[in-house]
Amino acid sequence: MAERSARIEALKAERPDLRGEYESEVAASEAMRQVLISGPFPGIGAGHIDLYKAFGWRNWQLVRAEGRIGIVLPRAALTGAGTEAWRRDVLRSGTFSDVCIVTNTGQWVFGGVDGRYTIAFGVIARASDADTLALCGPFHSRAEFDRGRDALAVVPLSEFLSWTSTAMFPLIPDPISATVFRRMRQQPEFRTSGFRPVIELRPVEDRSRIDTNLERPAGPIPVLTGVSFNLWNPDHGEPYGYASESIIDHLLAKTIRTTSMAKSPFSGMSIHVAADLPVGKPRVAVRDVARATDSRTVIAALLPPRVAVMHAAPYLLRNGTDESDEAFVLGVLSSIPFDWYARRIVELHLTFELLGSMPVPAPDRSDPRRLRVIEIAGRLAAVDGRYFEWASAVGVPVGSVDDAEKPELIAELDALVSHLYGLKRDHVAHVFETFHRGWNYAPRLKKVLGYFDTIEATA
DNA sequence: AAAACCTGTTGGATCGGTAC
DNA sequence: GTACCGATCCAACAGGTTTT
């Protein structure tokens, strides 16, 4: 950072010619922005003003009644906030009659374009009687495309609009995936679960309170970020930095301030002393930076007490729920079926909006499957004495899982959560088969299905 | 052996909406 | 107006894998 500013300063002195060039580029870009923002392109201002958004609008405006066009767009056009109005307009007076998503792996579609890009080939139609849309992909090669291009998942428009609040396109590669997705959506959304994601510390505002020198910790409070923890492991990586005890006072003052704000997650909560703060107790954190193509997308962990978190690691604020609910939610969030669902909708971040829209089973409090999820997640999370009080509240021992038992518990958890979602045996298999490209899922799936059959037999 | 590519991930600036 | 807060985008690194 410092190096960059120094270099900029040096260039300012050495190369005044570049300055003019830079300024005219900025002016040209601003002029383009003004043209686009004042054009007939509703909603284009959410996020960056990108040409593809105007391109989508203009092409759609040119389609006459009962006409249709083929269009190539970045996938963000089907998911982003800046194109929501466009998607809704298409769905109001027509439909996406055929959407095929491809990933440019190995640049098989567009040479010279990064292989990580996903591109949508769509047919949009102005049709008064349209009541469904169809989608397939993502395909990573010509061979995959040829195999799957005709097996489109067909979805009624009313159902599609109920999936998300932004009319975004989930990645539904085939009709079985659509069935699984639908079935999972029968469960209530995360936002009704009694937990709310909250950002605790932010890089710009809180910079002065956090020392990022890890060699000699500047205080007793570790400040964690996304990479600091992993599934069932609160000590996975380095902390972001350290803070002194005074950061607790800072958090307390800030939290008390926000309890009186209606929209604040702390609204109406009774917080008066440091002991009332979430930072004083174990809590669940989730990684914000997440992609559907990573080996896992949702990465949550139960953090020990007296550890603070950065914006890349929001934590789940508990309000009106107890430690058992916390263990249950952690168990669901850490399961393959929940992650499979997340991978249908996550692009680059596990945003609060997306997390809030994801389904979480809400079984009866005495449901034996729920109790078993709590027991397993509680034991896996309470890795040592730091969690003693939390584990007592849940009713589990600390440090009770050895390396041999761990994969068994994780497999049983996947089976329990799948069952709570109402999935059938072949749905579970489908979830594992389509979870991640090229992963060796067979041994794990076999274990999971074993537990699944037992649950099915006793249910 | 070097170059190119792929994957997982980060810190941080900034925008825009909303409550006070 | 100010504080707060979630979303979005940018620029980039590290380390592994594949290709040349």
Side-chain angles (χ1 to χ4, degrees), chain A residues 6-63:
Chain A
R7 178 91 181 114
I8 290 172
E9 286 310 312
L11 278 175
K12 270 184 189 164
E14 292 161 18
R15 299 287 306 274
D17 56 312
L18 285 180
R19 187 180 197 119
E21 204 176 311
Y22 170 75
E23 277 164 6
S24 68
E25 287 270 336
V26 169
S29 154
E30 180 54 29
M32 172 69 89
R33 186 188 141 87
Q34 283 309 320
V35 168
L36 294 177
I37 214 163
S38 52
F41 313 125
I44 197 169
H48 278 196
I49 311 295
D50 287 319
L51 259 182
Y52 75 82
K53 298 175 185 171
F55 180 74
W57 269 115
R58 181 53 92 207
N59 276 274
W60 171 236
Q61 285 155 356
L62 293 172
V63 182

Side-chain angles (χ1 to χ4, degrees), chain A residues 159-206:
Chain A
E159 182 186 344
F160 177 80
L161 290 169
S162 75
W163 281 355
T164 58
S165 63
T166 56
M168 67 99 83
F169 279 72
L171 289 179
I172 301 287
D174 53 53
I176 307 175
S177 296
T179 307
V180 174
F181 191 83
R182 277 194 189 106
R183 217 167 245 270
M184 292 183 73
R185 275 211 68 82
Q186 303 294 308
Q187 304 302 322
E189 295 190 335
F190 176 85
R191 61 176 112 255
T192 67
S193 69
F195 290 86
R196 230 179 115 166
V198 176
I199 290 172
E200 191 163 72
L201 296 168
R202 306 164 65 93
V204 179
E205 293 163 29
D206 300 306

Side-chain angles (χ1 to χ4, degrees), chain A residues 92-320:
Chain A
R92 205 160 25 240
S93 50
T95 188
F96 294 83
S97 57
D98 187 333
V99 171
C100 176
I101 292 166
V102 297
T103 302
N104 201 31
T105 310
Q107 308 195 352
W108 77 277
V109 189
F110 294 112
V113 174
D114 191 300
R116 284 188 274 196
Y117 276 93
T118 17
I119 299 130
F121 292 95
V123 176
I124 53 181
R126 211 176 270 284
S128 46
D129 59 346
D131 55 5
T132 61
L133 59 73
L135 59 160
C136 64
F139 302 118
H140 292 259
S141 67
R142 179 63 194 261
E144 277 183 33
F145 171 76
D146 287 338
R147 232 176 296 129
R149 59 188 290 186
D150 295 323
L152 293 148
V154 178
V155 185
L157 291 187
S158 54
E159 182 186 344
F160 177 80
L161 290 169
S162 75
W163 281 355
T164 58
S165 63
T166 56
M168 67 99 83
F169 279 72
L171 289 179
I172 301 287
D174 53 53
I176 307 175
S177 296
T179 307
V180 174
F181 191 83
R182 277 194 189 106
R183 217 167 245 270
M184 292 183 73
R185 275 211 68 82
Q186 303 294 308
Q187 304 302 322
E189 295 190 335
F190 176 85
R191 61 176 112 255
T192 67
S193 69
F195 290 86
R196 230 179 115 166
V198 176
I199 290 172
E200 191 163 72
L201 296 168
R202 306 164 65 93
V204 179
E205 293 163 29
D206 300 306
R207 187 162 28 203
S208 64
R209 300 186 181 88
I210 305 161
D211 188 339
T212 52
N213 180 348
L214 302 177
E215 300 296 307
R216 30 167 203 87
I221 312 286
V223 180
L224 304 191
T225 183
V227 78
S228 309
F229 55 86
N230 209 331
L231 289 166
W232 308 121
N233 180 4
D235 309 303
H236 172 74
E238 302 268 277
Y240 172 85
Y242 290 90
S244 68
E245 198 72 39
S246 66
I247 201 153
I248 306 277
D249 301 330
H250 164 69
L251 288 173
L252 182 62
K254 187 169 134 176
T255 310
I256 290 175
R257 232 177 4 252
T258 56
T259 52
S260 60
M261 295 179 187
K263 280 286 182 75
S264 161
F266 299 100
S267 172
M269 285 180 75
S270 154
I271 292 174
H272 306 288
V273 293
D276 299 333
L277 285 176
V279 69
K281 306 180 193 93
R283 50 189 173 155
V284 175
V286 291
R287 283 199 206 177
D288 168 59
V289 177
R291 271 194 308 240
T293 49
D294 294 350
S295 58
R296 291 294 295 258
T297 297
V298 177
I299 294 180
L302 187 75
L303 303 183
R306 291 173 53 77
V307 159
V309 283
M310 291 302 290
H311 77 307
Y315 72 94
L316 303 185
L317 175 67
R318 193 145 68 70
N319 194 355

